[in-house]
C-alpha cells in the first residue's frame, strides 16, 4: 500500500506583511518631508490601528493570566513566580533610573535651548488632569464592576480581575476545568481576531510615520538631536550591556540571539510606537522558546505594567532636559524623589502612546510646577522617543520572562537553543490558524 503523501507546510504569508510594514514606514517618512500638510491629515490612520490593537489587550491579558494561574495546582507556586518577578522588576527599574541619571547629568541636553510661548502652552496642556494621588491610584485599580475592567482599557484593573478569576478557578479544582478550557477557547478567538487586525499594520504604520514627520519636520529634530541621540544610545546600552549581561549570566542566552528571534515584534513596535501591539506575539514566542505557560502567563502581563525600563530612562533624562532648558537644574535629592514618583505613577500605561509625556508633565506639576513650561520642548519629538521607550520596555519584558523562567526552573534550555539556532522555527500560523501558543513546552506538566 502506498504511503500517504505528507501534508504540505503552510506558507508563511506574514513574511509579506512585515515587508509591507517596512515599505509603509519609508513611504510615510518620504510623504512627511515632501508634503507636510497632507501628511498631518493621515494621523487618524495610525491612531486607528493602535486603537484596534488596544481594544484586544484586556482580553489577551485576562486569558493569559487565568490560564497561567489555572494550570498550576498550588497557589504558592503562583505567589513564588509573581513575587520573584516583582522583585526583579523593582531592581531593574532602579538600575534604569540610575543609568538615566548618570547620562542626563553628564550630557546636560537642555542647555542652550529657548522656550517659546507655544511650548509653554503645550507643557501646561500635557499636565492638565494628568496627576492623581496615591489613594486615587490604588482605588483606581478596582473596577466598578467585574466586566467594566474590559471596557475602560485600564490594564491594572484587568490584571486584578484576571488574578481573582484565576485563583477562584484554581480553588474549584476539577470543577473549574471546563471553565478553564472555555477560557482557552476564548484565547484562540482573541488571537484569531488579532491576526486579522495585524493585516492593517502597513496602513497604520504609514499614517503614523507620515503624520509625525509632517508635524515635526527636519528642523525640530536637528534642534533637539542631543537628547534624542543621548536617549537612544542610553536605551541601546541598557539593553545590550545591562540586560545582555543578566541574560548571559543567569540563563546562558545571548541577547543578540533573543532580539533576532523577536525581530518582527521589534519592527511592529517601531512602526506603531506601542509595545502593546506586540504583546500577544511575545506571549506566544516566549512559550515557543521553552518558558512554561504559568511563568509566561504571570510574568509578561505583569511586566507590561510594572517593568518599564525604557519609561524610567525616558522620565529621568527628560526631567533633567527640561530643568536644564529652563536654567533651573534639579538637585540630586529632587531628581530622585521626582523620578520615583513618576515611575510609580506610570504603572499600567506601558503600551499607551504618549502616556510617558503625560506622566512627565504630571510629575513636574506635582513636584516642581515651575518646570511644567519646559515640557512643551519635548512634545515635538516625543513620538520618536516613544519608539525607543517602547522597544526598551519590550526587550526588558522578554529578558525578564526568560530570567524568571530560569530562576524557577521552568525554562527548557535545550529547546531554547534549538529555537534560537533556527532548528525549531516559530510557526507564524499558530496566531491565527491553530493553537495560539506554539510550544510543546507550554503543555508540559508544571512542577509544584
Amino acid at each position: 500500500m502506498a504511503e500517504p503523501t505528507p501534508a504540505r507546510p503552510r506558507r508563511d504569508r506574514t513574511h509579506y506583511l512585515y515587508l509591507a510594514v517596512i515599505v509603509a514606514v519609508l513611504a510615510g517618512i518620504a510623504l512627511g518631508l515632501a508634503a507636510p500638510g497632507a501628511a498631518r491629515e493621515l494621523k487618524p490612520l495610525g491612531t486607528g490601528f493602535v486603537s484596534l490593537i488596544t481594544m484586544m489587550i484586556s482580553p489577551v491579558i485576562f486569558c493569559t493570566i487565568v490560564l497561567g494561574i489555572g494550570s498550576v495546582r498550588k497557589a504558592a507556586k503562583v505567589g513564588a513566580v509573581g513575587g520573584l518577578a516583582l522583585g526583579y522588576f523593582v531592581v531593574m527599574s532602579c538600575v534604569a533610573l540610575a543609568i538615566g541619571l548618570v547620562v542626563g547629568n553628564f550630557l546636560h541636553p537642555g542647555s542652550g535651548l529657548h522656550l517659546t510661548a507655544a511650548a509653554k502652552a503645550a507643557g501646561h496642556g500635557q499636565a492638565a488632569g494628568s496627576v492623581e494621588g496615591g489613594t486615587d491610584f490604588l482605588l483606581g485599580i478596582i473596577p466598578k464592576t467585574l466586566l467594566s475592567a474590559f471596557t475602560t482599557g485600564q490594564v491594572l484593573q484587568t490584571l486584578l480581575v484576571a488574578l481573582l478569576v484565576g485563583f477562584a478557578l484554581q480553588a474549584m479544582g476539577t470543577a473549574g476545568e471546563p471553565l478553564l478550557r472555555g477560557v482557552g477557547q476564548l484565547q484562540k478567538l482573541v488571537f484569531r481576531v488579532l491576526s486579522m487586525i495585524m493585516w492593517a499594520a502597513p496602513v497604520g504604520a504609514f499614517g503614523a510615520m507620515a503624520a509625525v514627520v509632517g508635524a515635526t519636520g527636519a528642523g525640530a529634530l536637528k534642534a533637539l538631536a542631543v537628547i534624542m541621540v543621548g536617549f537612544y544610545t542610553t536605551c541601546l546600552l541598557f539593553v545590550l550591556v545591562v540586560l545582555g549581561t543578566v541574560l548571559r549570566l543567569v540563563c546562558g542566552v545571548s541577547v543578540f540571539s533573543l532580539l533576532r528571534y523577536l525581530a518582527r515584534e521589534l519592527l511592529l513596535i517601531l512602526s506603531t510606537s506601542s509595545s502593546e501591539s506586540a504583546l500577544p506575539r511575545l506571549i506566544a514566542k516566549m512559550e515557543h522558546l521553552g518558558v512554561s505557560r504559568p511563568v509566561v502567563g504571570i510574568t509578561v502581563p505583569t511586566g507590561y505594567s510594572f517593568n518599564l525600563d525604557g519609561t524610567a530612562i525616558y522620565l529621568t533624562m527628560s526631567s533633567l532636559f527640561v530643568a536644564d532648558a529652563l536654567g533651573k537644574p534639579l538637585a540630586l535629592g529632587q531628581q530622585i524623589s521626582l523620578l520615583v514618583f513618576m515611575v510609580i505613577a506610570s504603572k499600567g500605561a506601558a503600551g499607551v502612546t504618549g502616556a510617558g509625556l503625560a506622566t512627565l508633565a504630571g510629575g513636574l506639576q506635582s513636584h516642581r510646577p515651575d518646570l511644567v513650561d519646559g515640557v512643551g520642548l519635548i512634545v515635538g519629538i516625543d513620538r520618536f522617543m516613544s519608539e525607543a521607550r517602547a522597544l526598551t520596555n519590550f526587550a526588558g519584558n522578554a529578558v525578564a520572562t526568560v530570567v524568571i523562567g530560569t530562576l524557577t526552573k521552568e525554562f527548557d534550555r535545550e529547546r531554547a537553543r534549538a529555537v534560537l539556532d533556527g532548528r525549531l522555527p516559530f510557526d507564524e500560523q499558530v496566531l491565527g490558524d491553530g493553537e495560539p501558543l506554539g510550544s510543546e513546552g507550554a503543555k508540559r506538566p508544571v512542577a509544584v
Side-chain angles (χ1 to χ4, degrees):
M1 186 171 63
E3 294 184 1
T5 304
R8 294 178 60 186
R10 291 171 294 186
R11 291 186 63 184
D12 178 16
R13 295 180 299 163
T14 60
H15 174 72
Y16 303 103
L17 169 63
Y18 289 95
L19 288 177
V21 170
I22 295 175
V23 173
V25 169
L26 297 176
I29 294 174
L31 180 63
L33 293 175
R40 286 194 294 270
E41 298 300 320
L42 298 178
K43 184 178 180 181
L45 295 178
T47 304
F49 175 72
V50 174
S51 296
L52 284 172
I53 294 292
T54 304
M55 172 183 71
M56 305 301 298
I57 293 305
S58 289
V60 168
I61 290 178
F62 176 80
C63 295
T64 303
I65 290 183
V66 170
L67 291 174
I69 294 176
S71 61
V72 182
R73 289 189 293 273
K74 292 183 179 179
K77 181 71 175 180
V78 178
V81 173
L84 187 61
L86 288 175
Y88 173 86
F89 296 159
V90 170
V91 171
M92 296 311 295
S93 293
C94 291
V95 172
L97 280 172
I99 291 175
L101 281 175
V102 171
V103 175
N105 281 289
F106 175 76
L107 289 179
H108 295 291
S111 301
L113 288 179
H114 301 288
L115 194 65
T116 64
K120 288 183 179 181
H124 285 285
Q126 287 292 331
S130 60
V131 182
E132 59 182 8
T135 302
D136 293 334
F137 171 75
L138 293 175
L139 290 177
I141 298 176
I142 305 173
K144 292 182 178 180
T145 68
L146 190 66
L147 299 179
S148 65
F150 301 97
T151 60
T152 58
Q154 297 293 323
V155 176
L156 291 181
Q157 291 184 2
T158 306
L159 281 172
L160 176 63
V161 172
L163 287 170
L164 293 174
V165 173
F167 280 117
L169 287 176
Q170 187 184 70
M172 291 172 65
T174 55
E177 290 181 359
L179 291 173
L180 203 60
R181 288 195 294 271
V183 174
Q185 294 300 315
L186 176 62
Q187 188 186 53
K188 291 182 180 181
L189 173 63
V190 170
F191 273 77
R192 167 68 71 139
V193 173
L194 275 165
S195 69
M196 296 164 59
I197 292 174
M198 286 310 302
W199 286 98
V203 177
F206 173 72
M209 293 305 298
V212 71
V213 174
T216 58
L221 300 183
K222 291 178 182 177
L224 298 168
V226 174
I227 186 173
M228 286 183 60
V229 172
F231 179 60
Y232 268 80
T233 302
T234 303
C235 289
L236 185 64
L237 290 176
F238 178 81
V239 172
L240 299 183
V241 178
V242 178
L243 296 181
T245 301
V246 172
L247 189 64
R248 173 63 72 181
L249 294 179
V250 177
C251 314
V253 175
S254 167
V255 70
F256 295 100
S257 298
L258 183 64
L259 293 178
R260 184 171 61 249
Y261 173 61
L262 298 172
R264 290 190 174 187
E265 291 68 39
L266 295 173
L267 172 61
L268 180 61
I269 294 170
L270 185 66
S271 62
T272 62
S273 191
S274 172
S275 57
E276 281 190 353
S277 60
L279 171 60
R281 293 181 59 85
L282 178 62
I283 292 170
K285 280 201 162 183
M286 287 295 100
E287 289 199 13
H288 178 73
L289 187 65
V291 184
S292 70
R293 172 172 290 180
V295 171
V296 173
I298 295 169
T299 305
V300 174
T302 307
Y304 262 68
S305 287
F306 293 97
N307 190 32
L308 309 178
D309 300 329
T311 302
I313 296 173
Y314 166 83
L315 294 174
T316 304
M317 296 189 66
S318 297
S319 299
L320 297 177
F321 169 82
V322 169
D324 287 339
L326 297 181
K328 302 174 182 178
L330 294 166
L332 182 60
Q334 291 177 317
Q335 293 177 20
I336 294 175
S337 63
L338 172 63
L339 297 170
V340 168
F341 169 84
M342 288 196 290
V343 169
I344 294 174
S346 67
K347 300 307 182 189
V352 182
T353 302
L357 186 62
T359 303
L360 172 67
L364 291 175
Q365 178 70 51
S366 176
H367 283 65
R368 286 286 301 271
D370 56 318
L371 297 180
V372 175
D373 289 348
V375 176
L377 291 168
I378 295 181
V379 172
I381 61 166
D382 180 72
R383 172 61 169 74
F384 292 96
M385 297 179 72
S386 179
E387 292 168 348
R389 195 163 64 226
L391 288 168
T392 306
N393 287 340
F394 178 82
N397 284 318
V399 171
T401 305
V402 179
V403 170
I404 300 304
T406 301
L407 295 178
T408 56
K409 296 181 173 59
E410 299 288 343
F411 177 54
D412 189 336
R413 292 176 184 267
E414 293 302 320
R415 180 183 180 87
R417 290 193 187 96
V419 170
L420 296 178
D421 290 344
R423 290 180 281 118
L424 190 59
F426 178 75
D427 182 4
E428 294 288 342
Q429 303 297 329
V430 300
L431 288 170
D433 298 329
E435 288 292 328
L437 301 175
S439 156
E440 295 91 345
K443 303 175 181 63
R444 294 190 304 269
V446 179
V448 295

